[in-house]
């Protein structure tokens, strides 16, 4: 059956996301958190049914004590009528509305991986003709990595936390894979049992450092301030191409020894010697060294796996997905320390982005259609019309503390915002469709001057209220990126952290991290004309072809989705100016009349 209209959903401990794929083209995708305004909204609390789904067989107290998700071990959510679950309907209706389709138009629903049966029942009740498919977790990640890339063939690295237990793996959840893709075929070369989980290791260090579940990015930022003291100890026990032993295999098959591409140090035992960092406690050098250690171990493994893939596939191209693929520092190390010439990292590399891989798995691999979708951008949310923007703005017309100006000429709007940025104001930028992934890529952004030494502290104290060690991003004109950064490829999704070139850090201090890296986003006119126009206006004024970019939200909130979200965030924070579509809203006390 040729499947033309596919709905794809994934519900995990990272969130609930969905996508619409029509004729092989990913038309729309978003996550529930953007609609409900609840960070990492997972729809249902983690229940006993979830513990079974995840293969978590230890005492439930272990998970309650160590995982910062909502738990409810009393109620059985695997039996609820999901048609009556408002938040499920919110995401479903968002996708149907923006795609202008109904469930009668849908040929296939591909879904993973919590409460599969109640979701299957819902869609089958609505439209018995819908084919319902539950794919394998890490193969979907491999599809997510390769099928939307521009490469006809490529090596594929999936580096993750865990999937779900499978019969073919003897109940192991797996934690990643190495594959080779060509055309619409993907061949799996190696799979990693969950005991080798890079994501699991990173999460355990992150928890020891006092950060919450899904906050591994904070550990990555802190690592830049560490020394190699603890890493030097741990790396002695990091083994490659080693014989390893798995007690579970003795029980199941009578043979415990097997070849492993890598064996991680016993980091669990190692971490026991350190006290758990408490909330609000100052970061000691030991904390920084722990972050450094797990970051370097992750880089070492990923570089080794990349080189293994290169030898096995002889490809010049590498694709990466899985939650660890969001580690932009490690990705850059893979690029410069392996023999691959080209790299593609999916912009929503973790589980929320699985909806893309799942949909393309059905369209390209199951139904054997040629590939047509290339992921050149991540702007997959709703396009809000000028009228919708005007309706949102009209609600605030009577506010005497703001000035609202509409610009028919976008060049004038770029000039006004560029002027404000160059003069040290904090600006916000709401244009076009929202980003699907976790990075703000110039459509839902807070923007400031990268030349100011104090801008990082200003943003943290006035708007973001986040840890001082976390870096901000440069959004740079792609054609001038190489002048400032040691980067020979484009980085459109902010998933490479190259070194800042010698002599340039003093020109752009607020985006240069402690280890002399920057989380670069390269911007091209064909992908984002308005953002490119704004940065070009700033370049003409200052000679610097970039702006400082951070996500348009405050700490512990999702990125803004709607025009009204943007205006509310602007008014409730110390942001000075908001550009929303063709409108600029200024706070009068920040811009007094001359």
């Amino acid at each position: 059956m040729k499947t033309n209209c596919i709905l794809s959903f994934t519900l995990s401990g990272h969130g609930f996301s969905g996508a619409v794929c029509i004729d092989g083209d990913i038309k729309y995708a978003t996550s529930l958190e953007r609609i409900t305004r609840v960070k990492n909204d997972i729809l249902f609390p983690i229940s006993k049914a979830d513990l079974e789904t995840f293969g978590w067989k230890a005492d439930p107290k272990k998970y309650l004590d160590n995982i910062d998700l909502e738990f409810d071990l009393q109620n059985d959510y695997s039996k609820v009528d999901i048609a009556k679950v408002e938040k499920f309907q919110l995401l479903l209706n968002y996708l149907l509305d923006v795609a202008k389709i109904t469930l009668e138009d849908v040929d296939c629903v591909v879904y993973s991986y919590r409460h599969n049966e109640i979701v299957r029942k819902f869609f089958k009740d609505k439209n018995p003709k819908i084919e319902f498919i539950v794919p394998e977790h890490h193969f979907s990640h491999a599809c997510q990595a390769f099928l939307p890339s521009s490469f006809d063939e490529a090596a594929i690295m999936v580096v993750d936390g865990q999937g779900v237990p499978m019969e073919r793996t003897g109940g192991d959840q797996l934690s990643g894979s190495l594959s080779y893709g060509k055309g619409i075929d993907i061949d799996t070369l190696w799979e990693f049992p969950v005991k080798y989980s890079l994501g699991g290791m990173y999460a355990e260090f992150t928890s020891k450092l006092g950060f919450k579940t899904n906050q591994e990015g904070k550990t990555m930022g802190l690592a830049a301030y560490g020394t190699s003291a603890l890493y030097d100890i741990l790396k002695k026990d990091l083994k490659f191409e080693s014989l390893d032993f798995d007690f579970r295999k003795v029980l199941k098959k009578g043979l415990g020894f097997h070849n492993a591409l890598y064996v991680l140090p016993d980091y669990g035992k190692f971490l026991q010697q350190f006290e758990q960092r408490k909330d609000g406690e100052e970061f000691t050098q030991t904390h920084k060294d722990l972050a450094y250690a797990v970051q370097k171990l992750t880089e070492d493994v990923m570089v080794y796996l990349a080189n293994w893939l290169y030898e096995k596939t002889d490809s010049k191209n590498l694709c990466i997905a899985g939650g660890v693929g969001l580690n932009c520092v490690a990705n850059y190390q893979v690029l410069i320390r392996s023999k691959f010439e080209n790299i593609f990292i999916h912009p929503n590399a973790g589980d929320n982005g699985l909806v893309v891989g799942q949909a393309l798995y059905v369209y390209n691999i199951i139904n054997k259609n040629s590939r047509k979708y290339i992921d050149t951008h991540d702007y997959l949310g709703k396009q809000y019309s000028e009228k919708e923007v005007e309706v949102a703005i009209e609600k605030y017309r009577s506010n005497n503390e703001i000035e609202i100006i509409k610009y028919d000429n976008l060049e004038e709007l770029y000039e006004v915002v560029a002027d404000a940025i160059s003069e040290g104001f904090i600006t916000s930028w709401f244009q076009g469709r929202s980003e699907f992934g976790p990075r703000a890529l110039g459509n839902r952004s807070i923007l400031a001057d990268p030349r100011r030494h104090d801008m990082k502290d200003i943003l943290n104290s006035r708007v973001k209220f986040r840890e001082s060690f976390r870096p901000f991003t440069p959004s740079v004109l792609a054609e001038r990126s190489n002048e400032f950064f040691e980067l020979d490829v484009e980085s459109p999704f902010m998933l490479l952290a190259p070194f800042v070139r010698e002599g340039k850090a003093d020109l752009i201090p607020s985006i240069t991290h402690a280890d002399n890296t920057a989380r670069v986003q390269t911007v091209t006119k064909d992908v984002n004309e308005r953002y490119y126009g704004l940065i070009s206006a700033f370049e003409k004024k200052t000679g610097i072809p970039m702006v400082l970019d951070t996500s348009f939200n405050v700490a512990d909130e999702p990125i803004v989705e709607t025009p009204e979200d943007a205006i509310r965030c602007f008014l409730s924070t110390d942001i000075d100016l908001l550009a929303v579509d063709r409108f600029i809203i200024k706070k009068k006390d920040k811009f007094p009349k001359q």
Side-chain angles (χ1 to χ4, degrees), residues 565-578:
D565 291 341
I567 297 170
R568 277 199 302 263
C569 186
F570 166 66
L571 292 176
S572 66
T573 61
D574 205 12
I575 298 172
D576 302 316
L577 177 151
L578 167 63

Side-chain angles (χ1 to χ4, degrees), residues 195-196 243-248 250 255-258 263:
K195 69 175 289 189
Y196 304 105
L243 195 65
D244 197 20
F245 183 82
D246 189 340
F247 184 69
R248 289 190 300 179
V250 175
L255 183 64
F257 286 100
H258 60 278
V263 178

Side-chain angles (χ1 to χ4, degrees), residues 133-394:
I133 296 174
V134 178
E136 285 194 7
H137 183 84
H138 290 104
F139 193 76
S140 294
H141 270 313
C143 294
Q144 167 194 7
F146 172 64
L147 293 176
S149 77
S150 63
F151 309 136
D152 180 60
E153 59 80 32
I156 306 166
M157 182 194 302
V158 173
V159 273
D160 201 23
Q162 70 158 77
V164 295
M166 293 181 289
E167 186 175 345
R168 72 170 183 84
T169 62
D172 198 283
Q173 303 99 320
L174 301 182
S175 63
S177 63
L178 303 176
S179 307
Y180 176 70
K182 185 172 184 179
I184 59 170
D185 296 317
I186 295 176
D187 295 323
T188 303
L189 306 176
W190 199 284
E191 293 180 310
F192 301 106
V194 75
K195 69 175 289 189
Y196 304 105
S197 173
L198 286 182
M201 176 179 70
Y202 215 100
E204 210 161 315
F205 275 78
T206 296
S207 177
K208 179 64 71 171
L209 291 170
F211 301 133
K212 294 181 179 179
T213 301
N214 296 321
Q215 291 187 340
E216 284 80 1
K218 295 186 178 184
T219 302
M220 183 177 70
L222 184 64
Y225 297 86
T227 72
S228 66
L230 301 179
Y231 166 66
D232 289 341
I233 297 170
L234 284 164
K235 73 176 180 181
K236 295 174 184 176
D237 293 320
L238 175 63
K239 309 295 183 186
F240 295 106
E241 298 276 5
S242 177
L243 195 65
D244 197 20
F245 183 82
D246 189 340
F247 184 69
R248 289 190 300 179
K249 290 192 175 184
V250 175
L251 297 177
K252 292 181 181 295
K253 301 178 182 177
L255 183 64
F257 286 100
H258 60 278
N259 290 319
L261 286 189
Y262 65 90
V263 178
L264 297 171
D266 189 349
Y267 59 85
K269 182 178 179 181
F270 181 81
L271 287 173
Q272 288 176 5
Q273 64 186 293
F274 303 102
E275 290 291 324
Q276 178 90 8
R277 180 185 158 271
K278 295 179 175 60
D279 189 35
E281 181 183 343
E282 288 292 319
F283 289 94
T284 65
Q285 191 58 50
T286 297
H287 294 138
K288 297 169 186 176
D289 290 351
L290 283 169
Y292 180 95
V294 72
Q295 177 63 35
K296 292 301 176 185
L297 290 172
T298 299
E299 292 170 14
D300 289 345
V301 172
M302 288 180 65
V303 169
Y304 174 81
L305 296 180
N307 285 324
W308 186 92
L309 271 169
Y310 183 85
E311 295 300 324
K312 294 293 182 183
T313 66
D314 199 32
S315 178
K316 296 178 181 178
N317 309 313
L318 176 64
C319 299
I320 297 176
V324 183
L326 292 170
N327 190 313
C328 56
V329 178
N331 293 338
Y332 179 72
Q333 290 300 311
V334 167
L335 179 64
I336 65 172
R337 291 163 59 188
S338 75
K339 296 178 182 178
F340 287 105
E341 296 177 13
N342 308 303
I343 191 168
F344 171 80
I345 307 117
H346 192 273
N348 200 354
D351 283 0
N352 283 322
L354 271 176
V355 291
V356 172
Q358 292 176 170
L360 297 179
Y361 162 70
V362 172
Y363 186 82
N364 295 129
I365 293 181
I366 291 183
N367 294 313
K368 301 188 184 306
N369 294 303
S370 60
R371 293 160 61 195
K372 60 189 293 188
Y373 175 72
I374 297 177
D375 210 336
T376 57
H377 67 83
D378 192 43
Y379 310 116
L380 294 174
K382 177 181 176 179
Q383 173 72 56
Y384 293 90
S385 67
E386 190 168 318
K387 183 175 181 180
E388 287 174 303
V389 172
E390 289 179 346
V391 167
I393 287 174
E394 282 304 315

Side-chain angles (χ1 to χ4, degrees), residues 11 45-60 63 67 71-73 75-79 113-117 162-167 169-174 248:
L11 174 60
I46 302 298
S47 65
K48 284 185 177 178
D50 290 311
L51 299 186
E52 185 174 338
T53 297
F54 299 154
W56 294 354
K57 297 179 179 178
D59 184 337
Y63 311 116
I67 298 175
F71 280 79
D72 181 355
L73 301 183
N75 294 301
D76 187 357
Y77 293 91
S78 67
K79 299 289 194 291
Y113 50 92
R114 296 174 59 206
H115 309 305
N116 296 351
E117 291 310 311
Q162 70 158 77
V164 295
M166 293 181 289
E167 186 175 345
T169 62
D172 198 283
Q173 303 99 320
L174 301 182
R248 289 190 300 179

